[in-house]
Amino acid sequence: MKLLLAIVNNDDANAVNSGLSRAGFSVTRIATTGGFLMTGNTTFLVGVSDGDVDKVSDIIRTNSKKRVQKIPFEWDGSGTQPAGTVTVGGATVFVLNVEECRHL
Ligand code: 2BA
């Protein structure tokens, strides 16, 4: 079994939630905050069998967009995109091994 921690843009969260629920996956969503932009995002916890990891990833990918956002503070980082901006998303997904899941 795996636990997916998926960090998603708030603007995509309802679409991701609906996509996962319609496909029969149980999800928990947590209101979180990105440490760099210091703005809200949504983290989904999704416990699934090993064989469903790709299916869940596909649903998250399909419903998550890339966005260019302004950095709300002075930043001297270099890059190929407009100064003072970063590309956020689609989604950042961590896949963790789960020893056991108990519904008590
Ligand atoms: P934030 O921390 O607010 O980061 C927003 C975007 O800013 C990131 O987009 C990335 O493009 C850029 N960024 C983040 N840290 C940076 C840094 N130290 N220097 C330069 N640019 C930086 P994403 O990579 O798509 O990440 C979106 C959100 O996902 C992040 O929001 C954070 O909440 C989470 N995240 C991403 N990678 C993570 C990681 N390795 N560990 C924990 N959370 C992560």
Side-chain angles (χ1 to χ4, degrees):
M1 186 174 193
K2 305 285 188 197
L3 178 67
L4 278 72
L5 298 184
I7 303 164
V8 170
N9 193 294
N10 276 346
D11 292 337
D12 296 328
N14 286 347
V16 168
N17 198 153
S18 300
L20 292 171
S21 295
R22 271 200 303 266
F25 295 106
S26 293
V27 305
T28 295
R29 52 191 282 181
I30 305 172
T32 45
T33 303
F36 189 69
L37 293 179
M38 293 179 274
T39 57
N41 50 33
T42 300
T43 298
F44 287 89
L45 311 185
V46 194
V48 295
S49 62
D50 289 16
D52 278 333
V53 170
D54 287 343
K55 191 171 176 187
V56 169
S57 298
D58 285 346
I59 293 168
I60 294 170
R61 183 186 300 106
T62 301
N63 290 289
S64 299
K65 299 181 179 65
K66 282 192 197 314
R67 293 178 175 82
V68 176
Q69 288 186 218
K70 281 191 180 158
I71 304 172
F73 52 85
E74 284 282 318
W75 176 250
D76 59 5
S78 60
T80 55
Q81 57 188 52
T85 67
V86 284
T87 301
V88 184
T92 300
V93 181
F94 298 93
V95 181
L96 285 67
N97 287 320
V98 173
E99 196 163 320
E100 192 180 355
C101 172
R102 297 184 184 184
H103 292 284
L104 304 175

